[in-house]
Amino acid sequence: MSLGELARCASDASELTALLTRHQPDGPGSDPGVREAHRRALEALRRAEESARAPFGIGLVGEVSAGKSLLLGLLLGRPELLPVGEEAVTGNVTLIHAKAAPPHIRESYPSAVRVEYFTQAQTLDYLRHLRDELADQAQKAGLSPQVVLQLRELPIHEPDCGGLLGFRDTYLTGGLAQSLAGVLQEIGSLDRALRRMHESGLPLLGHTAELNDELARAAVVLPGADAEQGVDPRAGSWSGASDSSGFSARPAGPAHSGLGVPLTADLLRATLPLIRRLVREVRVAPSVWDLSAFPGAELRLLDFPGLNSDFSAVRDAYVCGTELHSVHTLLMLLKAGGPATDTLRRVFRMWHAAQRSDSMEDSVIALISRFHDLRVPESVLESYRRDTQQLTRERLLGDVAVLGELLASAERLVTSPDTPPATMGPTDRVLLTSAMRAMGVGGWNERVSKEFRDKCDLDARTAEADERAKTWRDIGRRLSADALSGGLDRILTDFADDGGLERLRGRLGDHVSRHGAAFRLGQFAERREDVVEALRELHTALEASGGRDHVDHQAETAVREHLIALQTVWNEVRDRAKVELLDAHRLYSRRAQSTPGPSLFTELERETAERVYTWPSWNSLLGTVDEEHVDPRRLQGGHRVPVRTDEFFAEFRDSCREIEAAGSARLLAAVEAWLLGYQRRVVATAEQLATVITPEVFALLRSTSDGEKAAARLSRATSLQWLRDEAEKVLRDMGPAEVVDEEKLREHFPLRPGHILPWHPDSLVASGMDASSRHQTTIARHRREMAAMVLRQSLAGLARRQRLLASHLRTQAASFITDELRVNEMAGALATAAAGGRESTLGLADVAEQLRRHAADSVYSWEPSAETGSFGSGSPAVFPVGPFGGGDGK
C-alpha cells in the first residue's frame, strides 16, 4: 500500500468526472432514469476523490506537561504557536492544518485561527457521555443498582444539565459526592457554560468564529495557576486570570463571529466546555519540514489535552475520542522525568470506543519526551564521561535502570500482545525527544519573545539540555552498533543532535506512507465500491437507451493509446523518484560517448580521499619519518608539523566546505542522467503519436484558446526538460547545509579536541609504547579517520539535497499527471483536432462504451484489467526533442 495508490484513486476519479461532465444526458426527451444514474455516479466520484485527497491526521497524546504543545510547535518551526507551561495548559483539542509554504519561504507562519463550538447534537452526546460516566463511577462507589439504573435511563433531549444536577442533589451527597467529585465538577462546569451562553443571548452551539491569537488562547488555555492546589480552574469566574502559558488574560479585542454580537475573551473562557476544538492553519517552510510528499502537501495535526487532569478527565477523553477516527498516526508521549500514570489505559479505552479497524499498536509512534530530564544520578553520568571504553546496551540499561523501564514501556506501545517480546531493543517507532534540546540547537532562545523565554526559563533549561545531550551523544557513539543494540546508539545520537526532531519527521513520513496509506485504502474500499456500483448502473442505463451514432473512433483510440503510454512513463518517473533519487549508489554522472559515469557515492569517496590525502599536514608529518617512525629530531626549527589534534581541524573544515559547495552541481548532473533514460521513451512515444497528430493537426489544435492550452500540456508531456529545470531551481534555492556551521563540524571532528598527538614533545619519552605510537601507521590511521568523517559529512550533505529534490520532483510529476496530462480529456481534444475541428456527437451507447473503456483503465473498473507499461533503460547523450516542441510547453 502506498501514497501512489491513493493518488491514482484520486486522479482516476477526476478523469471519470471530467468524462461524465462533458457528456450530460440532459437533452430534449432524455431518460429520467439515465439522468438519475448520471447524478449518482458524479456524486459517488466526488466523494471518492475527496476521500482520496484528504490529508492524513497525526494526533499527539500524553499526560499533563509531557511537552506535546511545544514539541508540535517546533515540528512546524513555530515554538510559540501553542500555549505551553509546566502545569495543565491545554484545555481543548487544537487541530492544525499544516500546509506546505511556497519554496522561497524560509520561515513557517500561521495564516488563520478559528474556534468551533459543539453542535446541539454533539452537546447532547457529551451530556449523555457524562451521564454514563457518572453512572459507571457511582456503581463502583457503591450506589445501589436500582438507583444506578435510574441514572442510566435519565432522559436527555435538550442541552441542559438540570436532570443530572437534580439527580446529584437527591442521591449523590456526603462521602459518595466526594468520591465522585471530578465528574460532578465537570457537570457543574458544563452547566455554568450553558447558562452563560443563554445569558449572552448568542446561539453558540454549532457556531464557528475567526479569532486573533489572544482570543485563541482564551478558547483553549486552562488558567492552571490553581490546578496544583486542587481547585477546578474552570469553576468560577476567569476574568483577569493569568493562564499558564505566561500570557495574562488581558481584555482582548472582540472576534468577528457572524452572530451580530462579537465574541470576547471572557465569553470564550466561560463557555470553554462547549468548545469542540480550536482550528489553526500554518504554512510550513520547506526548510523546516517538506510536506510536498503528502496528499495535498498537507497534514492534519491534533494536539490533545493531557489525559490525567484531576478536573477534566471525562471531557478530555471525550473530545479526544471524537477525533480519533481521523488519526492515522498516534504520537504517544511518555514523560522521561515523571511518575507512571494510567494514560496508556485511558488511550486504549478511547481507541476501542472509536471502533477502529486497525490495531492501536500499529498506529503508534512512542516518544520518550523531555529526555533531558531523565533522572539519572550525576555520579553515574560522571562515570560515563570519564570512561572511554565501548559500551553495550545490556551494560547501559543495567546501570541506568530508569532508561530500560522507559524503553520497555515504549516498546509495549508499538508491539502487539500477540507478538513475542522483543529481544533486539527499540524498534524504529520508539524515539527520544527533547523540545529544550531542539530549542537550543535551533537558536530559538534569541528568536522567541522575552515573555515566552522567561516563562519557560529557556536560558537555564536549554543549557541543561545541551549539557545532558553532550553526555548522551558520547554514550551513543560508544554503544555497540551491532544488531543487539537495537539501534539505541542511533536513537541517543539523534536526540543529542537536535532533540530527535529530524528523526521524528522522518518516522512520521514513513509511517504515514505505509500504515497511514494502508489504513486509508482500507477505509476507501467502501467508497470505491460505491463508485463501481454507480458506474455499472450508469453504463447499463446508457446502453439500454441506445442511440449509437456509428462514429469512427479509430483516431481517438489511437491517440488515447499513445497518451496512456506517455502516462505510463510519467507514472514511473513519479513512483521511482523517491526511491532511485535517494540511492547514491544508483545515480550516475555522464561521460563522453553517452556512457554512464561513476556513481555519486564513488565520486564522493574518491574526491574525499584525494582531498584528505593531499593535506599539507600529512606531507609535513611524513617528512619527519625516519625508519618508519616520526623522528623527534626533525620536529625542531621551522619544520612545522601538527602536534595537537586541533591543528587538523582547519583542513578538515575546509575540505567539508569545498565538497559541500560542489554538491548541487554534482547531484544535478546525476539527476539529468537519470531523467535522460525516461526522455528517450517519451520521445519515442511522441513520435508514434505524431503519426496521428500531424503538424497540420497540431496547428489546428493551437488555433483556439482551449486548444493552445492543450498543445502546451502536450509539449510538457513529451519532454522532461522542464522537470530537469525544476531540479536545477530547487538546488539553486536550497539554503546552506549544516556542514558549513563550524560548531556543528566540531561535533563531528573525529579526533578528541585538546589532546596532544604521540609525537608532541611532551609525549617524547623513552618507552616502547610511545615509540610504537609514533609509527607512520598512526599517521595512516588518522588519515583514514579523517577521510571517513569527511566522506560521512559529504554524504550527509548529499542526502539532504537528495531528500528535498526527490520529494519535489515526485510532487511535480504527480501534479502534472493529475492536473495537466489528464489522458481522457486530452485525447478528446486531440481527436477533435484530428477530425478537422469537428467534435463527434456521441449517442448514449457511444457514451456507455467510452465510460466502459475509461473505467477499465482505472481503479473503478467492474471488469478485470491488466496494468500496462514496462521499465526501459539506457539514456541518450543529450535531451532529445519530440515532435511537439520543447520542454517548457511554451
Side-chain angles (χ1 to χ4, degrees):
M1 301 296 182
S2 68
L3 295 178
E5 292 177 76
L6 278 175
R8 185 184 177 190
C9 292
S11 61
D12 286 352
S14 177
E15 289 198 1
L16 285 163
T17 298
L19 172 70
L20 296 186
T21 302
R22 286 200 308 270
H23 301 292
Q24 299 276 355
D26 53 2
S30 59
D31 187 340
V34 173
R35 291 201 304 272
E36 177 59 20
H38 188 271
R39 184 195 65 77
R40 287 198 302 270
L42 280 175
E43 178 61 21
L45 286 166
R46 181 191 64 78
R47 290 196 301 267
E49 184 174 359
E50 286 181 356
S51 178
R53 294 192 190 281
F56 284 94
I58 298 171
L60 279 77
V61 177
E63 58 229 50
V64 169
S65 300
K68 302 181 301 299
S69 299
L70 182 55
L71 182 68
L72 180 51
L74 284 165
L75 274 175
L76 303 179
R78 298 288 301 186
E80 293 186 87
L81 179 68
L82 303 170
V84 300
E86 286 301 310
E87 300 84 24
V89 174
T90 306
N92 256 323
V93 172
T94 298
L95 168 62
I96 300 175
H97 291 282
K99 303 178 181 180
H104 66 278
I105 297 297
R106 297 300 183 189
E107 292 188 359
S108 304
Y109 61 92
S111 56
V113 59
R114 65 181 182 273
V115 64
E116 295 180 0
Y117 278 89
F118 282 139
T119 64
Q120 177 157 317
Q122 290 167 339
T123 306
L124 293 176
D125 188 56
Y126 174 39
L127 271 167
R128 293 172 185 135
H129 179 77
L130 279 170
R131 177 197 63 191
D132 295 342
E133 184 65 27
L134 179 62
D136 290 342
Q137 293 189 23
Q139 184 174 4
K140 293 176 183 177
L143 191 64
S144 69
Q146 295 82 357
V147 178
V148 171
L149 180 61
Q150 182 181 342
L151 174 57
R152 293 189 189 280
E153 294 178 348
L154 187 70
I156 295 178
H157 301 302
E158 296 294 332
D160 187 292
C161 297
L164 288 174
L165 294 176
F167 185 92
R168 176 200 65 186
D169 295 341
T170 304
Y171 296 104
L172 306 177
T173 58
L176 187 59
Q178 293 218 348
S179 65
L180 302 173
V183 64
L184 289 177
Q185 286 193 42
E186 292 198 54
I187 293 171
S189 178
L190 179 59
D191 179 61
R192 285 187 291 275
L194 287 167
R195 285 192 282 110
R196 179 62 186 275
M197 179 188 72
H198 293 312
E199 290 168 3
S200 72
L202 300 178
L204 296 178
L205 299 185
H207 184 64
T208 298
E210 300 293 326
L211 305 178
N212 58 33
D213 280 342
E214 189 173 346
L215 290 173
R217 294 186 189 99
V220 75
V221 171
L222 296 176
D226 296 326
E228 297 300 319
Q229 303 174 22
V231 179
D232 183 358
R234 289 162 295 180
S237 172
W238 293 354
S239 179
S242 174
D243 67 50
S244 58
S245 65
F247 297 97
S248 61
R250 301 179 298 273
H256 177 70
S257 66
L259 292 170
V261 178
L263 294 178
T264 64
D266 284 344
L267 182 60
L268 287 164
R269 294 189 192 97
T271 57
L272 187 145
L274 298 175
I275 293 174
R276 177 192 175 191
R277 63 189 182 188
L278 193 74
V279 181
R280 289 183 175 272
E281 292 184 8
V282 178
R283 295 288 177 172
V284 181
S287 59
V288 174
W289 192 0
D290 184 11
L291 302 180
S292 59
F294 298 108
E298 178 181 353
L299 284 175
R300 298 171 76 253
L301 299 114
L302 293 111
D303 182 26
F304 293 129
L307 296 181
N308 57 342
S309 168
D310 292 332
F311 308 107
S312 58
V314 179
R315 184 181 186 280
D316 292 343
Y318 175 77
V319 294
C320 294
T322 57
E323 303 288 351
L324 273 182
H325 68 280
S326 63
V327 169
H328 301 91
T329 298
L330 195 63
L331 293 183
M332 286 282 295
L333 276 72
L334 305 176
K335 190 162 59 173
T341 68
D342 65 346
T343 297
L344 178 58
R345 179 182 60 82
R346 294 173 183 268
V347 175
F348 269 113
R349 286 178 56 189
M350 291 190 304
W351 190 269
H352 293 300
Q355 299 181 337
R356 296 279 299 237
S357 60
D358 56 338
S359 72
M360 189 178 117
E361 294 84 359
D362 291 337
S363 304
V364 167
I365 293 178
L367 307 182
I368 299 175
S369 68
R370 300 179 61 157
F371 187 67
H372 64 279
D373 282 338
L374 187 68
R375 295 171 179 172
V376 182
E378 187 62 30
S379 59
V380 174
L381 293 179
E382 184 59 32
S383 68
Y384 277 109
R385 293 188 188 106
R386 291 195 304 267
D387 191 1
T388 59
Q389 300 301 312
Q390 189 174 42
L391 294 173
T392 64
R393 171 186 167 90
E394 181 180 12
R395 177 190 165 191
L396 176 62
L397 300 188
D399 291 345
V400 188
V402 64
L403 176 57
E405 293 167 3
L406 281 168
L407 289 174
S409 298
E411 288 176 15
R412 284 195 293 272
L413 286 172
V414 300
T415 306
S416 170
D418 300 329
T419 303
T423 59
M424 304 296 285
T427 69
D428 281 345
R429 288 187 288 125
V430 174
L431 292 83
L432 309 176
T433 61
S434 166
M436 286 300 150
R437 174 58 176 162
M439 292 285 288
V441 172
W444 286 104
N445 290 30
E446 303 303 322
R447 299 163 64 185
V448 297
S449 66
K450 184 179 184 303
E451 190 175 15
F452 185 87
R453 185 169 66 249
D454 293 345
K455 173 64 183 178
C456 296
D457 195 15
L458 287 185
D459 293 337
R461 295 176 66 192
T462 54
E464 178 188 356
D466 292 347
E467 188 62 31
R468 283 297 181 96
K470 293 177 183 176
T471 301
W472 286 114
R473 173 186 285 113
D474 184 56
I475 292 173
R477 287 176 175 174
R478 287 161 47 205
L479 267 174
S480 170
D482 59 26
L484 292 178
S485 76
L488 185 54
D489 58 323
R490 297 191 307 274
I491 296 175
L492 287 170
T493 53
D494 286 341
F495 150 74
D497 285 345
D498 66 348
L501 287 192
E502 191 60 30
R503 184 181 182 89
L504 176 55
R505 292 188 184 105
R507 290 295 175 265
L508 285 172
D510 292 342
H511 193 257
V512 164
S513 300
R514 297 173 185 172
H515 173 77
F519 180 60
R520 172 70 63 76
L521 284 167
Q523 293 177 312
F524 188 79
E526 184 176 348
R527 294 283 190 209
R528 178 187 174 278
E529 289 304 316
D530 290 344
V531 172
V532 169
E533 184 60 29
L535 293 179
R536 182 191 290 114
E537 290 177 359
L538 176 58
H539 180 262
T540 300
L542 288 169
E543 280 200 324
S545 295
R548 184 178 296 277
D549 280 355
H550 303 290
V551 178
D552 182 7
H553 302 300
Q554 183 176 359
E556 183 173 357
T557 299
V559 167
R560 190 166 183 275
E561 287 177 353
H562 297 319
L563 289 177
I564 289 174
L566 270 180
Q567 180 169 319
T568 298
V569 181
W570 276 99
N571 287 343
E572 290 181 13
V573 171
R574 176 198 64 198
D575 296 339
R576 293 172 184 266
K578 202 167 183 180
V579 176
E580 296 178 355
L581 292 183
L582 294 179
D583 189 346
H585 291 277
R586 298 169 63 182
L587 285 176
Y588 299 90
S589 300
R590 288 179 294 170
R591 280 183 181 171
Q593 289 80 45
S594 303
T595 57
S599 70
L600 283 186
F601 181 87
T602 302
E603 275 192 346
L604 278 175
E605 192 174 39
R606 182 179 61 198
E607 183 176 349
T608 54
E610 289 176 351
R611 285 182 181 273
V612 173
Y613 277 53
T614 56
W615 287 358
S617 295
W618 308 127
N619 294 331
S620 61
L621 266 172
L622 292 173
T624 66
V625 171
D626 182 35
E627 295 184 356
E628 299 185 344
H629 290 74
V630 175
D631 187 345
R633 295 169 298 178
R634 300 190 182 187
L635 299 180
Q636 308 301 321
H639 195 85
R640 181 64 179 158
V641 300
V643 293
R644 292 184 177 275
T645 54
D646 305 78
E647 295 179 51
F648 284 111
F649 179 75
E651 291 167 308
F652 172 77
R653 176 199 60 208
D654 294 344
S655 292
C656 289
R657 289 178 173 177
E658 288 165 4
I659 294 175
E660 170 68 18
S664 292
R666 180 186 294 110
L667 180 56
L668 179 61
V671 170
E672 186 176 272
W674 181 78
L675 287 171
L676 283 171
Y678 295 102
Q679 176 67 7
R680 186 178 68 174
R681 296 170 58 202
V682 163
V683 169
T685 304
E687 289 171 348
Q688 291 294 318
L689 182 59
T691 61
V692 181
I693 308 302
T694 62
E696 294 77 17
V697 171
F698 194 62
L700 180 61
L701 177 67
R702 302 184 64 176
S703 62
T704 65
S705 59
D706 288 343
E708 179 66 30
K709 294 177 183 177
R713 286 159 47 200
L714 181 60
S715 295
R716 284 166 62 84
T718 54
S719 174
L720 302 182
Q721 178 68 42
W722 68 270
L723 203 58
R724 180 263 177 210
D725 295 341
E726 281 288 326
E728 183 177 21
K729 180 177 181 297
V730 168
L731 291 173
R732 185 175 62 246
D733 292 344
M734 283 185 69
E738 289 183 349
V739 76
V740 303
D741 187 322
E742 188 157 321
E743 289 304 314
K744 288 285 185 185
L745 280 176
R746 286 191 183 278
E747 293 179 1
H748 297 285
F749 187 54
L751 302 182
R752 183 164 294 186
H755 281 231
I756 60 176
L757 295 167
W759 43 85
H760 189 282
D762 293 346
S763 292
L764 297 178
V765 295
S767 71
M769 180 176 294
D770 290 331
S772 174
S773 66
R774 295 196 300 273
H775 194 279
Q776 65 182 357
T777 56
T778 301
I779 301 173
R781 176 167 59 83
H782 287 326
R783 189 166 57 180
R784 287 196 304 271
E785 290 172 352
M786 290 292 180
M789 187 53 71
V790 172
L791 177 60
R792 177 179 173 180
Q793 293 298 108
S794 302
L795 289 173
L798 175 64
R800 172 177 170 270
R801 288 181 167 88
Q802 285 177 280
R803 286 193 299 270
L804 185 59
L805 186 62
S807 177
H808 182 72
L809 292 189
R810 184 183 184 282
T811 300
Q812 289 290 316
S815 298
F816 176 73
I817 293 168
T818 302
D819 301 333
E820 296 189 50
L821 186 54
R822 298 202 299 272
V823 167
N824 296 321
E825 179 184 323
M826 188 177 289
L830 294 178
T832 299
R838 299 183 303 277
E839 185 171 1
S840 300
T841 303
L842 302 182
L844 294 183
D846 295 302
V847 175
E849 177 59 19
Q850 279 212 13
L851 175 61
R852 186 195 65 77
R853 286 191 285 112
H854 280 64
D857 291 333
S858 76
V859 298
Y860 305 104
S861 175
W862 59 88
E863 301 173 340
S865 63
E867 293 290 330
T868 60
S870 59
F871 178 71
S873 60
S875 60
V878 295
F879 272 92
V881 178
F884 302 108
D888 59 359
K890 295 179 181 178

